[in-house]
Amino acid sequence: MSKKAQIPISIRNLIVEHHKTGKSYRNIADIVQLNKDTVARIVQGYNQCGLISLAKRSERPSKATGRIDRAIVKKAELDRGLSAPKIAKQIESEFSIQLTSQSVRNRLHKIGLKGRVAYN
């Protein structure tokens, strides 16, 4: 399944306004140059909920709490030579939580720390 771009709110407003004037899904689709089914889905969503805005997508809750995030950052800043897998193992032993090295990298990237290669 591929990720699809969301329709901007300005286009959604335009679709709903054309629908209110009585235009068909096909006519609206020709005007905004979208698929007829996409136009129908937007109009039906407006009719059901009364909302045009984009719904917030749910995301998987993180295993790492704020306390664990701070511990990851502290370990990375104290010893810049530690790799993400080593930090993950240390966190696992301290907090008894299974954490992948990619999760550690994601946390470090979020605060602005990026991995680099050390030169001799």
Side-chain angles (χ1 to χ4, degrees), residues 17-119:
E17 292 303 318
H18 283 298
H19 177 70
K20 286 180 181 177
T21 61
K23 293 185 180 170
S24 68
Y25 293 155
R26 185 167 303 209
N27 289 341
I28 298 170
D30 290 338
I31 292 169
V32 295
Q33 301 202 347
L34 289 173
N35 188 323
K36 177 181 65 87
D37 294 330
T38 303
V39 170
R41 184 178 39 79
I42 291 170
V43 170
Q44 288 168 0
Y46 173 74
N47 288 338
Q48 288 174 357
C49 301
L51 298 174
I52 298 174
S53 63
L54 304 172
K56 184 178 185 311
R57 293 184 178 196
S58 64
E59 54 186 46
R60 181 179 180 170
S62 175
K63 280 187 177 181
T65 62
R67 182 175 175 211
I68 294 173
D69 287 345
R70 288 189 299 275
I72 290 171
V73 171
K74 187 174 183 179
K75 289 181 183 310
E77 288 178 341
L78 287 177
D79 186 0
R80 298 294 292 208
L82 277 179
S83 64
K86 288 180 184 175
I87 293 174
K89 283 185 181 181
Q90 289 179 6
I91 294 294
E92 284 179 23
S93 65
E94 285 180 32
F95 292 96
S96 300
I97 183 173
Q98 191 172 3
L99 200 64
T100 65
S101 58
Q102 186 60 51
S103 295
V104 171
R105 278 186 218 100
N106 291 343
R107 294 295 171 191
L108 294 175
H109 284 188
K110 189 174 181 180
I111 64 146
L113 292 175
K114 307 271 195 278
R116 300 287 186 263
V117 176
Y119 288 109

